[in-house]
Amino acid sequence: MYNLLRHKEQDKQVINEFIGQYPFAFLTGCDLKNRPIATQVPLFIENKDGRKVLRGHIMKGTDHYKAFSHNKNVLAVFTGKHTYVSGTWYSNPFTPSTWNYMSVHVKGIVRFVNSVELEDILRMTSLYFEGNNQQSTTVFDNLPLAFKQKALELIIGFEIEINEIDTVFKLSQDRDAESYQNIIKKLKEQDESGRIIAEEMEKRQKNLFSKN
């Protein structure tokens, strides 16, 4: 991971909210032959019995299911908006360009859960993405019983006990105040990703330059 202290997010609440905002994670590990495997799944961070865990579900019989069955060490990567930052926007324009982005890396041990826990994961997941609309026909509890029984045979739930959380919130923290302000201005003229990164930079601006 891009490991510079000035690009680390230290606020645990901000990290949890980021995972909640961008739950579709890149989940990776290694199989018995030490080959990398990966999939992308929605994951949700929770406190459980004094432990911090991620919960989700995957299909049985896949390469990642087989790998996680043998090697319990996994890495989940949550990524947010990202954008190009032109060196021409700096106070000294003769500077290489870069990329601003936000990312949270979570390492832990995966454990497959029983059918009751799986149903709870599916209920939570469907309600979350349906805006907690309990009347939605696609929410787990409202699906036809025969369909649910068949689906439960094909998928499996899991939780990841978190061992380590690391972050990169690379938002031009290493730039001078003039460059920082101009980057925000230019990004606001870009697409949605640029505008969101600009908003994140604005939140941090006061703390970065409060001594100047």
Side-chain angles (χ1 to χ4, degrees), residues 45-57:
I45 191 167
E46 300 176 16
N47 291 312
K48 183 179 180 182
D49 302 324
R51 300 174 295 122
K52 186 166 285 189
V53 302
L54 294 171
R55 294 205 298 165
H57 68 280

Side-chain angles (χ1 to χ4, degrees), residues 83-151:
T83 189
Y84 175 76
V85 176
S86 173
T88 63
W89 301 344
Y90 302 156
S91 55
N92 173 14
F94 298 98
T95 305
S97 300
T98 191
W99 207 269
N100 278 6
Y101 66 97
M102 297 174 289
S103 180
V104 174
H105 289 203
V106 180
K107 295 178 182 178
I109 304 297
V110 66
R111 177 184 72 87
F112 293 115
V113 301
N114 60 39
S115 59
V116 174
E117 291 175 286
L118 170 59
E119 289 188 23
D120 185 56
I121 290 171
L122 296 175
R123 183 175 298 109
M124 171 192 64
T125 303
S126 57
L127 278 170
Y128 178 88
F129 290 111
E130 286 297 308
N132 206 35
N133 177 13
Q134 298 187 19
Q135 306 306 314
S136 172
T137 56
T138 196
V139 167
F140 178 76
D141 289 331
N142 298 334
L143 293 171
L145 179 60
F147 177 85
K148 288 192 290 187
Q149 290 175 334
K150 184 176 181 180

Side-chain angles (χ1 to χ4, degrees), residues 12-41:
K12 293 181 180 179
Q13 182 176 345
V14 171
I15 295 171
N16 289 344
E17 289 175 354
F18 181 86
I19 291 174
Q21 186 177 2
Y22 301 104
F24 194 55
F26 181 82
L27 183 62
T28 183
C30 288
D31 65 13
L32 277 174
K33 296 183 179 180
N34 210 32
R35 295 174 301 192
I37 54 87
T39 187
Q40 288 177 272
V41 290

Side-chain angles (χ1 to χ4, degrees), residues 34-77:
N34 210 32
R35 295 174 301 192
I37 54 87
T39 187
Q40 288 177 272
V41 290
L43 298 175
F44 299 89
I45 191 167
E46 300 176 16
N47 291 312
K48 183 179 180 182
D49 302 324
R51 300 174 295 122
K52 186 166 285 189
V53 302
L54 294 171
R55 294 205 298 165
H57 68 280
I58 56 176
M59 294 288 294
K60 294 178 180 177
T62 58
D63 62 345
H64 43 281
Y65 167 72
K66 295 173 184 177
F68 299 154
S69 298
H70 295 290
N71 187 340
K72 307 296 184 181
N73 295 280
V74 296
L75 167 67
V77 179

